[in-house]
Amino acid sequence: MLFSRKKSESHIADRFTEIVNRYREPIYWFVRRQVVSHYDADDVVQEVFIRAYRSLDNLREENAVRPWLYRIAVNEIARFMASRYRNEGELTDELSHQLTDGEYVDYDNAMAVTFQKALLTLSEKQRTVFELRYYDEMPYEEISEICDTSVNTLKTTYHIARQKVTDYILNND
Amino acid sequence: MNRQEFNIDNIRDRSNPYTVPQGYFEHQERRILVASMPRKGRKVVTLLVAAAASIAVIASVAVFLFGTYRNTPDLDSYIASLSDSELNASIALDDLDTYSEFMASDVD
């Protein structure tokens, strides 16, 4: 029993290491684009993988890893935002300020800064859907698992988000 | 630039202004693994602390019980510790019906 338990712990550790190795960068960027600050992103990503490790036993299928992990990330971002900011207005103001005057931002790339400012004008839901579709290029069915929203609603949300981003960039070019 | 010409899909690769500290991703994996997975050392420490606490509780109970036993004098030792008058009084009490008789009795 001791041997089988050790073998099981070793298997879990190997599996988790593989997940970390494969998803740490995409998860980081997914989080970073939403919380803006590198330091905050680093903290949130740590929490994502801590929670992932603790719930690894719940993961049954290998092809369910990505939506499972991103769902944890979405929840951790929401938790972080709720703990840091009192309301949506304060959140948007603070994130915009960090984007305009923060560390680890390439201000020589003015178009990219404008693009990220456009994302900050989106609602939390719109931003999440946009990030997953635009940057992570996830199929709607997978986003549906993450956001617990119907595919049709996601398509509408993404379309609206794209319009808002496009309008912002064209008006602030 | 007009709306017809502009397509955000064409600027995806150039739309991220964020950077990271040098070497961040090289060390990120190890930091995540260390923070996420419990180290074996922590498990050992937890077990040792639990064992020490259990031993302390058992020892306290044992000391209490042993101390109680030691403080309870045996009869022979008690009798040996009595003076003659105390001994006579004790024997006399067995023969008296009431305490008042004992107080009135001429026992020194």
Side-chain angles (χ1 to χ4, degrees):
Chain A
M1 187 185 289
L2 184 62
F3 175 74
S4 64
R5 185 181 171 190
K6 281 191 173 178
K7 191 179 174 187
S8 173
E9 286 177 357
S10 173
H11 171 71
I12 289 173
D14 289 344
R15 194 178 183 208
F16 182 69
T17 302
E18 191 183 322
I19 290 172
V20 169
N21 190 37
R22 188 171 175 188
Y23 291 103
R24 56 189 173 86
E25 280 198 51
I27 289 290
Y28 172 84
W29 289 117
F30 173 72
V31 172
R32 177 75 190 272
R33 282 189 293 264
Q34 299 193 60
V35 304
V36 179
S37 159
H38 160 71
Y39 301 106
D40 291 341
D42 186 52
D43 288 344
V44 173
V45 169
Q46 294 268 27
E47 285 299 319
V48 169
F49 284 103
I50 287 171
R51 289 190 183 273
Y53 181 81
R54 288 177 184 170
S55 60
L56 196 53
D57 277 349
N58 299 336
L59 187 61
R60 294 282 173 256
E61 303 167 13
E62 280 310 312
N63 58 2
V65 172
R66 188 165 76 161
W68 164 78
L69 195 56
Y70 271 83
R71 187 167 192 152
I72 295 174
V74 167
N75 290 338
E76 281 307 306
I77 290 169
R79 200 189 313 273
F80 167 78
M81 297 295 202
S83 70
R84 177 69 70 86
Y85 307 108
R86 285 174 295 184
N87 53 56
E88 188 104 15
E90 183 182 328
L91 183 154
T92 306
D93 288 344
E94 180 57 30
L95 292 182
S96 295
H97 173 70
Q98 288 182 21
L99 179 53
T100 312
D101 188 29
E103 285 185 83
Y104 302 112
V105 181
D106 180 12
Y107 292 108
D108 290 338
N109 190 348
M111 196 283 297
V113 174
T114 302
F115 194 102
Q116 296 304 315
K117 283 183 180 176
L119 294 189
L120 295 182
T121 66
L122 303 176
S123 69
E124 189 180 323
K125 193 77 168 190
Q126 289 170 344
R127 196 157 53 235
T128 301
V129 174
F130 186 89
E131 296 275 353
L132 293 171
R133 182 69 180 169
Y134 183 80
Y135 284 109
D136 294 291
E137 298 181 281
M138 276 192 197
Y140 282 114
E141 290 72 21
E142 194 171 343
I143 299 175
S144 175
E145 283 185 62
I146 295 168
C147 297
D148 200 21
T149 307
S150 72
V151 169
N152 286 337
T153 302
L154 290 173
K155 288 179 179 177
T156 306
T157 303
Y158 182 63
H159 174 74
I160 293 171
R162 276 183 67 102
Q163 284 296 115
K164 289 177 79 170
V165 170
T166 301
D167 288 345
Y168 186 94
I169 292 172
L170 290 175
N171 292 332
N172 291 275
D173 188 17
Chain B
M1 191 189 308
N2 62 44
R3 186 173 292 276
Q4 281 73 35
E5 292 173 345
F6 183 72
N7 185 338
I8 62 172
D9 289 330
N10 296 334
I11 58 173
R12 182 182 292 110
D13 294 341
R14 294 175 283 129
S15 66
N16 183 16
Y18 299 119
T19 62
V20 294
Q22 195 170 6
Y24 174 72
F25 285 121
E26 282 75 18
H27 302 296
Q28 186 199 33
E29 180 181 348
R30 186 173 182 281
R31 288 171 57 238
I32 288 172
L33 292 175
V34 167
S36 304
M37 294 199 286
R39 274 174 282 187
K40 284 184 183 174
R42 280 198 204 134
K43 281 187 180 174
V44 171
V45 169
T46 304
L47 281 172
L48 285 175
V49 168
S54 302
I55 291 170
V57 167
I58 293 169
S60 298
V61 171
V63 166
F64 172 77
L65 291 175
F66 183 67
T68 303
Y69 170 74
R70 275 180 65 97
N71 289 335
T72 304
D74 62 276
L75 188 56
D76 290 339
S77 301
Y78 173 68
I79 294 173
S81 69
L82 293 175
S83 64
D84 287 343
S85 60
E86 285 173 325
L87 187 60
N88 289 335
S90 296
I91 294 170
L93 271 173
D94 285 341
D95 295 329
L96 293 175
D97 289 331
T98 62
Y99 179 70
S100 57
E101 285 184 78
F102 165 69
M103 293 299 291
S105 64
D106 190 20
V107 177
D108 54 19

